[in-house]
Amino acid sequence: PIAGRLVAVVDVYDAVVTHRPYRKAMTHDQAQALIVRGCGSHFDPRVVEAFLVVSPAFRALSELALAQTA
């Protein structure tokens, strides 16, 4: 289902840009590159294409969340 395909991208993005006790958070650009590399294998190409369109909003929200936790 498309909902699962959307959540797959969002979940991975959130997981990798969030600091964990066992690893540092990736930057937005690193996370975006990871998702693009998974296009067609791990992620639906149409969803990755849509993610790239809204990627600036993901960056802004990620930076806002990071600023609030600092």
Side-chain angles (χ1 to χ4, degrees):
I2 191 67
R5 294 170 189 222
L6 291 166
V7 170
V9 170
V10 173
D11 183 54
V12 167
Y13 181 87
D14 179 63
V16 300
V17 299
T18 303
H19 176 74
R20 305 289 187 197
Y22 50 87
R23 63 151 178 79
K24 291 183 179 181
M26 285 185 180
T27 66
H28 169 82
D29 292 334
Q30 291 169 323
Q32 182 173 304
L34 177 76
I35 290 168
V36 169
R37 281 194 307 272
C39 181
S41 58
H42 190 75
F43 305 115
D44 181 314
R46 294 173 301 159
V47 175
V48 173
E49 183 179 328
F51 167 75
L52 293 174
V53 170
V54 298
S55 179
F58 274 71
R59 179 190 301 268
L61 290 170
S62 178
E63 290 172 356
L64 178 62
L66 181 62
Q68 291 178 345
T69 61

